């Protein structure tokens, strides 16, 4: 996965994979690879959200 991937790009890729799975547009031979990619994207998004949450908490605590 790219180092320059943004949260929005990761979510867009995840949405595309989910849509392909839901509509059956993924070849069974590619399903495992797409699921691994989705797992990596979910992890990336979770990490990004945790980082933002920590930053917001830090900023809010500095204002008090």
């Amino acid at each position: 996965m790219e180092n320059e991937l943004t949260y929005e790009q990761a979510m867009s890729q995840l949405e595309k994979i989910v849509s392909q799975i839901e509509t059956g547009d993924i070849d069974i031979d590619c399903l495992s690879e797409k699921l691994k990619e989705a797992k990596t994207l979910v992890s990336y998004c979770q990490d990004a959200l945790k980082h933002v949450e920590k930053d917001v908490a830090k900023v809010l605590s500095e204002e008090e």
Side-chain angles (χ1 to χ4, degrees):
M1 191 174 332
E2 299 176 22
N3 288 337
E4 300 297 319
L5 188 68
T6 66
Y7 178 83
E8 288 79 16
Q9 291 168 330
M11 285 300 298
S12 177
Q13 289 179 17
L14 269 172
E15 290 170 353
K16 182 179 177 182
I17 292 170
V18 169
S19 176
Q20 290 173 334
I21 291 171
E22 288 178 341
T23 60
D25 290 342
I26 291 184
D27 186 295
I28 193 71
D29 297 323
C30 298
L31 182 58
S32 178
E33 185 172 323
K34 288 292 185 177
L35 288 174
K36 289 176 187 175
E37 181 182 353
K39 182 180 177 183
T40 300
L41 289 165
V42 166
S43 179
Y44 174 85
C45 289
Q46 287 174 331
D47 290 345
L49 289 172
K50 287 177 187 175
H51 179 74
V52 169
E53 183 179 26
K54 286 180 184 178
D55 285 349
V56 168
K58 182 179 176 183
V59 168
L60 292 176
S61 70
E62 289 174 354
E63 290 184 5
E64 294 178 352

